[in-house]
Amino acid sequence: MKDSQDQVLYVGKAKNLKNRVQSYFRNSNNHSPKIKKLVKHLRDFDYILTDTEFEAFMLECQLIKSIKPLYNRMMKSPQSFIYISISLTGNHRKMDIAFNPIENDGKVYFGPFTSRRNVERALRGLKDCFMLNCSNPNGTNSACLNYSLGSCLGRCLGGPAEQQYNDILDKFIGFLKGTDMSILEDMNQMMLNASEAFDFEAASAYRDHTQAVSSLLKKEKMIEFTEENHNILAIERLTDSTIKLFLIKRTDILFSHNYTAAGNICEKIKANILAYFKKDEASAAEDISRHEIDAAHIIYRYLHTGSCSYLLIPENWLDHENHSILDLALEDLLNSPQHIQPPILNE
């Protein structure tokens, strides 16, 4: 959608373009102020036809990222992906949640996490266990209310408690990096101590807090899948005689093409596989960035909601001696609507 200056105001997608466009001009009383403002400035449309809904999702994601239309930002729903931020320096370090990590701002960020509720629950559990609930964290050398209630270890008073607080944050950073599990050991010990003292209510609370903090290490399946850098071949049937092929790596569509299902198309597809999935010795898993999240979510959902048949192609299938295995897998995929996972090959 464009304004009178040919500037792109909004990028969207629709299965039925006519109905989608008409919806902006009907029942205007029910529209939000943002929609009304968009329609007021709207002067022209461009549209792009895609073969599949998956392509429309990916194209929308790509265009929004590159053009950054004003109304896509204004009408975007609250962000689903959040991060844990921990300041690295200063006398009064803070731990919080963030939506937009900022580089070189003196903080370290962990994530992305898809459930704000789970992250808040984990941080609350950590603070309860180690008495980090200071209501006067800026340090005026006077005890806060939570200190008198026993839920603050006294960082508001400065001195040793401030260092103790920072040591706990450093342990938590090590835990989130996967290099130091001592914070979980400390929490488990608190649970055991409470149980041995027959304080089962406290022991139950420590158990819940420990489970909440432990859950932060369990990556979302979508994120874990993307970080594994699979070579993905996906096929979607457009008609009885036509298929759409996608070759996908991480969050990029490397190649797409329509094929007539008649005849032997395995060799053509294999040639593209070998051309686009070139072996990369440096293809070690990397953490997914916040810029990749939307595309990763689209690809993962596409592969796992039955819209297509797909094949994960191991690197060693690209070796010449294993091309016969690749041939058999392609034939099975083309002759079956079921998702095919690669077999385990003997070394």
Side-chain angles (χ1 to χ4, degrees), residues 1-9 38-45:
M1 297 181 179
K2 297 182 174 182
D3 63 13
S4 59
Q5 304 299 316
D6 208 37
Q7 296 295 312
V8 177
L9 297 173
L38 169 63
V39 173
K40 182 179 179 180
H41 290 92
L42 180 59
R43 293 296 180 271
D44 197 8
F45 296 92

Side-chain angles (χ1 to χ4, degrees), residues 62-299:
Q62 173 191 331
L63 291 174
I64 291 173
K65 187 182 298 183
S66 61
I67 300 173
K68 297 180 175 61
L70 172 64
Y71 284 88
N72 286 97
R73 298 198 301 272
M74 289 175 66
M75 295 189 288
K76 190 173 184 180
S77 59
Q79 298 186 50
S80 300
F81 300 99
I82 66 171
Y83 297 77
I84 295 173
S85 72
I86 303 175
S87 55
L88 296 175
T89 58
N91 294 328
H92 307 292
R93 295 167 58 188
K94 295 182 180 180
M95 175 172 58
D96 209 342
I97 62 172
F99 294 102
N100 294 301
I102 302 172
E103 294 183 5
N104 303 318
D105 66 344
K107 298 179 181 178
V108 61
Y109 293 89
F110 297 95
F113 301 98
T114 58
S115 172
R116 176 170 180 166
R117 178 177 176 273
N118 288 346
V119 171
E120 289 179 336
R121 181 168 164 260
L123 295 185
R124 187 166 57 250
L126 182 76
K127 291 177 179 179
D128 286 350
C129 275
F130 294 97
M131 298 189 296
L132 307 182
N133 294 300
C134 185
S135 56
N136 182 25
N138 294 323
T140 57
N141 295 325
S142 59
C144 69
L145 176 62
N146 287 341
Y147 179 75
S148 62
L149 296 175
S151 60
C152 168
L153 54 80
R155 66 175 299 208
C156 43
L157 297 172
E162 184 74 34
Q163 184 58 49
Q164 185 182 354
Y165 176 89
N166 290 338
D167 290 342
I168 294 169
L169 287 193
D170 289 338
K171 278 189 176 184
F172 189 48
I173 289 173
F175 165 76
L176 292 172
K177 288 181 176 179
T179 60
D180 184 358
M181 297 294 111
S182 62
I183 202 158
L184 282 186
E185 295 170 5
D186 293 343
M187 295 174 77
N188 278 316
Q189 189 60 52
M190 293 176 188
M191 179 180 66
L192 290 174
N193 291 344
S195 179
E196 290 173 356
F198 302 103
D199 188 349
F200 299 116
E201 183 177 351
S204 177
Y206 284 130
R207 179 202 62 205
D208 293 343
H209 295 332
T210 303
Q211 290 175 349
V213 172
S214 297
S215 71
L216 295 176
L217 291 184
K218 297 177 182 177
K219 290 187 176 180
E220 296 291 330
K221 291 182 179 179
M222 174 270 292
I223 294 173
E224 192 173 54
F225 180 85
T226 303
E227 290 177 347
E228 289 171 351
N229 289 323
H230 296 294
N231 298 318
I232 307 167
L233 180 151
I235 290 176
E236 184 170 350
R237 298 195 178 276
L238 304 179
T239 67
D240 290 340
S241 59
T242 309
I243 63 171
K244 183 85 176 189
L245 168 74
F246 299 101
L247 299 181
I248 304 167
K249 182 76 169 184
R250 198 169 172 96
T251 58
D252 296 317
I253 299 177
L254 304 181
F255 175 79
S256 63
H257 191 70
N258 291 3
Y259 289 95
T260 301
N264 184 8
I265 60 174
C266 284
E267 284 302 317
K268 295 179 181 178
I269 294 176
K270 185 173 80 170
N272 284 310
I273 289 173
L274 298 176
Y276 286 92
F277 291 149
K278 295 177 182 178
K279 294 199 69 174
D280 183 2
E281 300 299 333
S283 61
E286 296 179 359
D287 289 345
I288 187 171
S289 73
R290 64 191 179 95
H291 303 292
E292 296 179 287
I293 291 176
D294 289 335
H297 187 267
I298 293 167
I299 292 169

Side-chain angles (χ1 to χ4, degrees), residues 28-53:
S28 60
N29 291 334
N30 296 326
H31 289 161
S32 68
K34 292 173 184 177
I35 293 289
K36 292 178 181 178
K37 190 174 180 181
L38 169 63
V39 173
K40 182 179 179 180
H41 290 92
L42 180 59
R43 293 296 180 271
D44 197 8
F45 296 92
D46 281 345
Y47 67 91
I48 303 170
L49 297 179
T50 62
D51 290 325
T52 68
E53 189 175 5

